[in-house]
Structure formats: structure tokens, C-alpha cells
Amino acid sequence: MTARTGPLALLHTSPVHVPVFEALRDAAHPGLGLTHHVATELLHRARAHGPGAVADDVRDVLREAVAAGARAVLCTCSTIGAVAERADVGVPVLRVDRPMAATAVATGPRIVVVAALESTLEPTVALVREEAAARGHVELRTLLVDDAWARFEAGDTAGYLRVIADAADSVTGADAIVLAQASMAPARHLTTTTVPVLSSPELGLAAAATAAAHGPQDGSHGPRNGSHGSQDGSLG
């Protein structure tokens, strides 16, 4: 695991997210200090044994970030996001995909969740249903892009994003398409569908920047940390 310093900490399970969130910060939140904690083993174990199996280790990483001065933490991995969000570490802990889920629900009831990892589907579907609870019925479908993750792990980023975009373009009868993993976000710009395609990094970082600005508050942990925003472009 590696780290750098800043008042907003980010927990990643892949190093590819570090430059992505640095670029988003530079574009939309200049001056915001970021700390990057990269723990690839958390995703490996969560895929093998379930997110609950890494709950203690996730909490330890979050506590380490807080001890280093973080005023808020953003978990960029959708597979372990719910585990991170539930950790009580004294500062707001946000999952990167919650604002995206809220935006999808606000867009319409017919939502398709596209994922490259099966382990991401269940937590993302649960999150969308949670966001929809106050709004009424949603029709949720899932689309697992079977060969995508192998491309990602092989370093074939262009091929990975191309098959994700093709999968999104194959969707019909939907009001919104959710790209479940942060790494999928650039595929938005390769799609030709008229259905809104939503991704998490830009919206998640905006919510986390707001949380870091406000700092620790009573009841700052839990599933409603941070604010929601609107999707206008952006990248488990």
C-alpha cells in the first residue's frame, strides 16, 4: 500500500485511479490536497471471499488515513464501497458511486447497471435500490461484460473501454445506464447511445471535496455521507 498527503484521502484498489482523480482534482477542485491509499489486495480478497471479509482491513486503512490528517475519505472501489461507508472512523467516509446512483434514479426508473466484475454487480444494484427507496419503483437490469476485466488486468485499456462502450450501446429500453466501476468512466465518451451513460469519479470527487471542506461532524460516518450532484462528464 502506498500513500501521499492531503486532507481528502482516497482509498483505491488499483493504482490506475491515482492519475485519474489527480486530473479531476486539477480540473474541478484546484488546491484540494489528496492522499492516495492503494490497497490492491483488498479487491482480490473481496472478490474471493466477499466484501465482509475485508471489513476490518478497510477500517484499518481508513483509520490510518484519518491519523495522517484526512478530513474525509473517498472509497473509489465499488466492490468494497459499502464496507468502507459503514466504517466509523470519525470523519465522513463516502463511496464514489453513491452520487452516480442518485443521479440515475433521478433520471428515470429503468436503470441498467453495466459491470466488468461480477463482485461489483450486487453492491451497485443494492446501492441503486437504496437511493430509489424514497422515490418509488425502479426497474433494474444488469449487464456483465464477461471479457472486459481480463483486458483491464492485461493492460489493454483501449480494448477494455471499447468492449464496455459496445456493451452500453447494446442496451435498449433504459432511462439511464450506470457504469458500475470507476475504471469504466472513459468508456462514456466512446458510446453512441442516446441513453444517458453515468460514471462515478467526477460526481464522487465533488461530494468528497464538499465533505472534506466541512470536516468531521457528529454522525459523519454511514451511508449518507456527502452530497449528490449532476453528471456532466468524467472514470473499481
Side-chain angles (χ1 to χ4, degrees), residues 167-218:
D169 283 339
S170 74
V171 171
T172 59
D175 297 309
I177 298 169
V178 167
L179 300 182
Q181 294 156 244
S183 59
M184 302 165 74
R188 291 183 64 244
H189 307 294
L190 302 177
T191 62
T192 59
T193 180
T194 58
V195 178
V197 180
L198 308 178
S199 60
S200 60
E202 185 173 354
L203 297 178
L205 183 61
T210 298
H214 291 138
Q217 300 174 7
D218 290 340

Side-chain angles (χ1 to χ4, degrees), residues 45-128:
R45 288 168 50 212
R47 290 180 63 191
H49 306 293
V54 299
D56 289 344
D57 292 317
V58 168
R59 185 170 57 251
D60 288 345
V61 175
L62 298 177
R63 286 174 173 166
E64 177 184 329
V66 173
R71 293 167 56 84
V73 185
L74 178 67
C75 178
T76 66
C77 176
S78 298
T79 297
I80 65 170
V83 169
E85 197 178 48
R86 289 194 296 267
D88 184 358
V89 294
V91 304
V93 179
L94 300 85
R95 55 187 293 177
V96 72
D97 48 357
R98 183 173 289 280
M100 173 185 66
T103 301
V105 169
T107 302
R110 301 175 301 167
I111 299 170
V112 176
V113 176
V114 180
L117 276 176
E118 188 172 5
S119 64
T120 304
L121 284 175
E122 183 178 348
T124 305
V125 167
L127 175 63
V128 174

Side-chain angles (χ1 to χ4, degrees), residues 11-70:
L11 171 56
H12 310 292
T13 54
S14 172
V16 302
H17 298 312
V18 174
V20 171
F21 282 89
E22 287 281 331
L24 287 174
R25 184 275 312 276
D26 292 344
H29 311 280
L32 175 65
L34 301 181
T35 305
H36 297 282
H37 298 263
V38 180
T40 58
E41 71 280 2
L42 294 178
L43 179 58
H44 298 322
R45 288 168 50 212
R47 290 180 63 191
H49 306 293
V54 299
D56 289 344
D57 292 317
V58 168
R59 185 170 57 251
D60 288 345
V61 175
L62 298 177
R63 286 174 173 166
E64 177 184 329
V66 173

